Amino acid sequence: MKIGYARVSTLEQNPELQLDALNKAGCEKIYTDQVSGVKADRPGLRDALAYTRKGDCLVVWRLDRLGRSLKHLIQTVEDLESRGVGFASLQEGFDTTTSGGKLIFQIFGALAEFERNLIRERTKAGLAVARARGRLGGRKEKLSPDQVTTMRRMSESRQHTIAEICTVMGISKPTYYRYLSKDSS
């Protein structure tokens, strides 16, 4: 069974072009959404995915109607494939129920993985350059070494409660205990 999914982003847009194409492609059931593609929660898509069964094929007019990003698109199609459900895009002309369609989609997947690897490599290189210049990543220390010494003295004097010390230093109790454990090691 072919199940169609159509989406328009705004109320001014009309889904009729997509609906006509999906009907012409033989979709027996069509789900729609009138919501931006960047929204994670799309009731029509959720219902369409839940309705599909092994042997069915989810059909969209264009790829961008389904996925928020290439990563989301690949993830959705891989989920469909793992359930034995095909995927077809009318405008791009591919269908994962055919050998050629699977090949094209695997190429998309390989490109997405390549892009993720490039981003990871650039991030690592940027961090290495920053470290070489003496910059460390992460959050800055809440207290200076002098403040840690003052905090420690206040604690050892037993004249102040932990809550008072935290208020004076402008830190939380977990931060207080973290600094004490750092100091003692």
Side-chain angles (χ1 to χ4, degrees), residues 104-176:
I104 290 172
F105 199 76
Q106 287 173 351
I107 291 170
F108 279 158
L111 290 172
E113 185 176 348
F114 177 69
E115 179 184 20
R116 284 191 301 272
N117 289 338
L118 284 178
I119 291 169
R120 190 176 305 121
E121 288 172 11
R122 281 185 292 224
T123 302
K124 285 181 180 179
L127 290 171
V129 167
R131 274 189 223 102
R133 292 182 179 162
R135 288 181 282 179
L136 300 175
R139 186 180 254 184
K140 291 185 188 225
E141 288 292 325
K142 192 81 168 150
L143 300 177
S144 69
D146 289 341
Q147 288 174 312
V148 173
T149 303
T150 303
M151 181 191 76
R152 189 158 183 73
R153 285 187 186 141
M154 290 173 74
S155 177
E156 289 169 353
S157 75
R158 304 239 184 251
Q159 293 179 352
H160 307 280
T161 66
I162 294 171
E164 289 173 339
I165 295 170
C166 290
T167 301
V168 168
M169 293 292 160
I171 58 174
S172 66
K173 284 184 182 181
T175 302
Y176 166 83

